[in-house]
């Protein structure tokens, strides 16, 4: 079975909820977060963590997880900017299906340093 690596930038609060789940689930989306959007490359995830999570929370993390490639075909890749700014837009109600399709999780989030 083929899998695809996805990355997700996150702050410390969300990362703690993922840890509490045994690295098995992302927390439910908040009402103002209608989309779960994992990204398709680490560089873009680091950019988001650095530009959004670090200013918002003082620290940002990048997590990586693997999902069945065939399952991901239902969510077209979205180009959210330049040619490497690629995301999957999963409606909040579909995030649980992505979690059930996980095949391998990397247990640690890489800390994104604050850059001056």
């Amino acid at each position: 079975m083929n899998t695809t690596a996805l990355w997700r930038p996150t702050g410390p609060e969300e990362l703690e909820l993922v840890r509490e789940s045994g690295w098995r689930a992302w927390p439910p989306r908040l009402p103002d977060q209608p989309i779960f959007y994992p990204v398709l490359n680490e560089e873009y995830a680091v950019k988001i963590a650095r530009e959004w999570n670090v200013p918002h929370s003082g620290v940002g993390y990048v997590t990586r997880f693997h999902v069945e490639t065939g399952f991901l075909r239902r969510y077209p890749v979205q180009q959210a900017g330049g040619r490497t700014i690629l995301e999957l837009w999963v409606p909040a109600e579909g995030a649980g299906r992505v979690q059930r399709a996980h095949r391998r999780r990397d247990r640690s989030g890489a800390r994104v340093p604050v850059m001056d």
Side-chain angles (χ1 to χ4, degrees), residues 35-38 74-80 86-91:
I35 296 174
F36 174 72
Y37 61 96
R74 68 182 71 193
Y75 304 107
V77 173
Q78 304 292 326
Q79 187 172 354
L86 304 174
E87 307 172 338
L88 296 179
W89 293 354
V90 180

Side-chain angles (χ1 to χ4, degrees), residues 15-32:
L15 185 63
E16 184 56 31
L17 293 172
V18 174
R19 275 191 192 121
E20 289 173 5
S21 78
W23 300 96
R24 297 177 193 268
W26 291 99
R29 303 284 79 208
L30 298 174
D32 63 334

Side-chain angles (χ1 to χ4, degrees), residues 42-58:
E42 185 176 23
E43 295 80 17
Y44 179 39
V46 168
K47 177 180 170 54
I48 294 169
R50 186 171 289 133
E51 293 178 3
W52 197 89
N53 296 107
V54 170
H56 181 74
S57 305

Side-chain angles (χ1 to χ4, degrees), residues 2-110:
N2 292 331
T3 62
T4 297
L6 299 173
W7 287 263
R8 172 111 173 116
T10 186
E13 298 87 7
E14 185 176 54
L15 185 63
E16 184 56 31
L17 293 172
V18 174
R19 275 191 192 121
E20 289 173 5
S21 78
W23 300 96
R24 297 177 193 268
W26 291 99
R29 303 284 79 208
L30 298 174
D32 63 334
Q33 298 172 327
I35 296 174
F36 174 72
Y37 61 96
V39 303
L40 277 66
N41 65 70
E42 185 176 23
E43 295 80 17
Y44 179 39
V46 168
K47 177 180 170 54
I48 294 169
R50 186 171 289 133
E51 293 178 3
W52 197 89
N53 296 107
V54 170
H56 181 74
S57 305
V59 65
Y61 297 91
V62 172
T63 59
R64 182 177 63 196
F65 56 101
H66 300 261
V67 177
E68 293 174 24
T69 301
F71 172 83
L72 292 177
R73 288 189 185 111
R74 68 182 71 193
Y75 304 107
V77 173
Q78 304 292 326
Q79 187 172 354
R83 65 180 179 83
T84 62
I85 309 297
L86 304 174
E87 307 172 338
L88 296 179
W89 293 354
V90 180
E93 61 274 6
R97 288 189 292 264
V98 170
Q99 294 176 103
R100 286 189 295 278
H102 281 186
R103 288 295 167 238
R104 191 174 90 221
R105 295 164 193 86
D106 296 323
R107 292 182 175 254
S108 63

